[in-house]
Amino acid sequence: MVTTSLDASVVTADPALVRIAVRNLLDNALRHGRTPAPASAARAEVHVMVRGATVAVADRGPGIAAADLPGLTERFRSPGGGTGIGLSLVREIAAAHGGSLTADLRPGGGTLVRLSLGPG
């Protein structure tokens, strides 16, 4: 299930790159953000927020601590069985726009990942 909280926002950015970044964040959240439950009942709860130049994607999976993010954004390193390219691309897209990629543990369980597309 995906829910949204979107503010009208205007940023100077490459729309194709931003689409790639947001798609990768959503793919990760849907793949790894499943609520802890028996396999048959596990489902992803993802919330997408847009505020100004920031896109935030929150899930209810096992969580990513801020200290673990650098390793997860290295190309070809994926403890979750993927290619390890998705978050590295998001990090590079953020940097190309003068922004950043951050992750925090979400209160109540899960991860909150923020893609900032400019100085914040």
Side-chain angles (χ1 to χ4, degrees):
M1 171 173 66
V2 177
T3 58
T4 60
S5 174
L6 311 171
D7 286 350
S9 300
V10 177
V11 295
T12 302
D14 181 311
L17 291 177
V18 173
R19 272 192 297 277
I20 290 168
V22 172
R23 183 182 64 226
N24 285 346
L25 291 177
L26 285 172
D27 285 348
N28 275 332
L30 290 169
R31 185 178 314 124
H32 303 291
R34 298 195 178 281
T35 55
S40 61
R43 65 186 178 113
E45 291 181 23
V46 177
H47 186 69
V48 180
M49 297 155 279
V50 176
R51 300 262 180 321
T54 300
V55 176
V57 178
D59 66 49
R60 288 291 180 201
I64 300 172
D68 295 334
L69 185 62
L72 294 173
T73 60
E74 279 186 41
R75 282 184 189 263
F76 310 118
R77 270 185 83 184
S78 174
T83 62
I85 297 213
L87 287 178
S88 69
L89 281 175
V90 176
R91 185 195 67 220
E92 290 178 23
I93 290 167
H97 290 87
S100 62
L101 176 66
T102 60
D104 294 300
L105 294 174
R106 185 177 181 197
T111 302
L112 174 61
V113 179
R114 288 182 192 89
L115 165 65
S116 297
L117 296 169

